[in-house]
């Protein structure tokens, strides 16, 4: 199984929005930050995954992480998240945050730790995505990226 991870282009907007909506997530703001998205394609060049990385100086916020294909398994998901974090590191991001309901073993494997919402930098807290998603039932995770 061959997959390709690449930076999103303008032409990917609608497929990304469809993928995100199909996963039951909100697609607000994707059009403003399409250049900060990565996409995953299968060998037929169909979009089967995406993630956005909003950058706030040395901090990043992962958003709209969707993996939608029968081929996804824990190994591929882990590899995609590792590539995502490597890409964030290349953008000089030192700390990555994400909002998620419940606990995900993959996040722990990658070094994410739960943090209090009040400890998230104000620039990240001011993100419309963070404001919409950092609800009472949502946990905030952080991962330090080391050079």
């Amino acid at each position: 199984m061959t997959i390709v991870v690449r930076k999103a282009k303008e032409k990917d907007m609608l497929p990304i929005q469809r993928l995100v909506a199909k996963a039951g997530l909100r697609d607000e703001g994707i059009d403003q930050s399409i250049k900060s998205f990565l996409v995953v394609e299968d060998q037929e060049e169909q979009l089967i995954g995406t993630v956005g990385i909003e950058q706030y100086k040395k901090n990043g916020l992962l958003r709209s992480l969707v993996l939608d294909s029968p081929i996804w398994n824990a190994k591929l998901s882990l590899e995609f998240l590792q590539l995502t974090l490597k890409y964030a590191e290349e953008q000089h991001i030192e700390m990555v945050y994400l909002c998620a309901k419940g606990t995900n073993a993959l996040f722990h494997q990658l070094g994410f730790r739960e943090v209090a919402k009040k400890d998230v930098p104000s620039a990240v807290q001011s993100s419309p995505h963070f404001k919409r998603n950092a609800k009472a039932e949502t946990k905030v995770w952080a991962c330090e990226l080391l050079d």
Side-chain angles (χ1 to χ4, degrees):
M1 171 52 63
T2 307
I3 61 166
V4 174
V5 177
R6 63 172 173 76
K7 285 185 73 166
K9 300 176 182 138
E10 291 294 330
K11 71 175 180 69
D12 298 317
M13 178 85 64
L14 200 55
I16 288 172
Q17 288 173 320
R18 283 191 191 124
L19 206 58
V20 168
K22 184 178 172 188
L25 302 174
R26 296 166 70 156
D27 65 2
E28 292 164 35
I30 291 175
D31 48 349
Q32 286 100 30
S33 56
I34 187 71
K35 291 185 174 20
S36 66
F37 272 75
L38 297 176
V39 295
V40 186
E41 293 177 335
D42 62 15
Q43 60 250 37
E44 284 88 43
E45 295 185 11
Q46 293 298 309
L47 235 59
I48 58 170
T50 189
V51 66
I53 307 169
E54 293 182 6
Q55 188 165 356
Y56 301 91
K57 294 192 169 96
K58 300 278 186 194
N59 296 300
L61 177 64
L62 293 189
R63 60 161 298 171
S64 309
L65 172 64
V66 178
L67 306 172
D68 180 44
S69 171
I71 68 154
W72 284 108
N73 57 33
K75 183 178 180 288
L76 275 179
S77 299
L78 183 64
E79 286 175 12
F80 177 52
L81 284 168
Q82 286 170 326
L83 281 170
T84 301
L85 295 177
K86 185 79 185 134
Y87 175 77
E89 217 171 276
E90 288 166 2
Q91 307 309 305
H92 308 288
I93 293 173
E94 295 174 0
M95 187 72 82
V96 175
Y97 296 88
L98 64 86
C99 299
K101 290 183 176 135
T103 305
N104 187 317
L106 278 178
F107 299 150
H108 281 291
Q109 253 182 297
L110 292 165
F112 279 89
R113 298 289 169 257
E114 190 176 347
V115 295
K117 291 177 183 95
K118 66 177 176 47
D119 295 336
V120 174
S122 57
V124 175
Q125 284 188 36
S126 69
S127 153
H129 180 78
F130 188 87
K131 286 179 181 171
R132 271 193 311 275
N133 292 287
K135 306 275 189 262
E137 71 279 3
T138 307
K139 295 177 189 284
V140 178
W141 300 85
C143 179
E144 190 171 0
L145 305 178
L146 305 171
D147 295 314

